[in-house]
Amino acid sequence: MTNKNALIVRGGWFGHQPVEATERFIPFLRDNGYDVRVEESPKVYADADYMATVDLIVQCNTMNTIEKDEFRGLRAAIEAGTGMAGWHGGIADSYRNESDYLHLIGGQFACHPGKHPDECVGEQSDNYVPYRVNMLPAAAEHPITQGIEDFDLVTEQYWVLSDDYIDVLATTTQAVREWDPWNRPVTSPAIWTRQWGKGRIFVSTPGHRVEILDDPNVRTIIERGLLWASR
């Protein structure tokens, strides 16, 4: 039996630990029968011959840029059946220069409202707040989320701009604090899937750093999401 091919594309903002984060999942992929190739930029997406052989793209590339031919290659591969999966800004805040990428993924990071301004110290932790990931009824029977109940995290809580072509498995609700300018709670998708042509896309917004990826719920959801998305 021929192994499947997984492509990891990582890079961008170092705060998301793209190397350390993706290295956590390489043994899992290999244990599940994947040959793993790692690239440090999206240039590989423009290689149509290679991309046709890829069963799963795992992308961890935040606030970077993508060229037109690279994006077209990525989209064509997914439309032909290559799966794509990722977490946090590595998939939901990857290429702000390409609006068609946002259209492909279906949700874009907008902000992560943080602590009270008086508590901020100029570190990433300024944006770490306690919040709950709420599983929707659809999650109970989905292979990615089956058996997982609502869970709590202390990390960045993503406020996401999205469309209704995503299939949402879990949400998170941003409260209104006394210092916030919005005046009612805002619910965003936290875990979703999307069908694009013949390809599947999986997104988990939790996953800011390795300590969140090591949370048992987050880790299980991402591992299942990788396998679900794959061709």
Side-chain angles (χ1 to χ4, degrees), residues 169-213:
L169 295 172
T171 61
T172 184
T173 299
Q174 174 66 51
V176 183
R177 291 87 51 94
E178 61 181 10
W179 64 91
D180 292 324
W182 50 93
N183 56 29
R184 65 173 186 266
V186 178
T187 298
S188 293
I191 301 163
W192 72 85
T193 67
R194 190 171 180 88
Q195 184 78 35
W196 201 261
K198 296 178 181 178
R200 290 172 163 183
I201 298 170
F202 158 78
V203 178
S204 167
T205 65
H208 174 63
R209 289 172 63 85
V210 293
E211 56 268 25
I212 301 302
L213 295 171

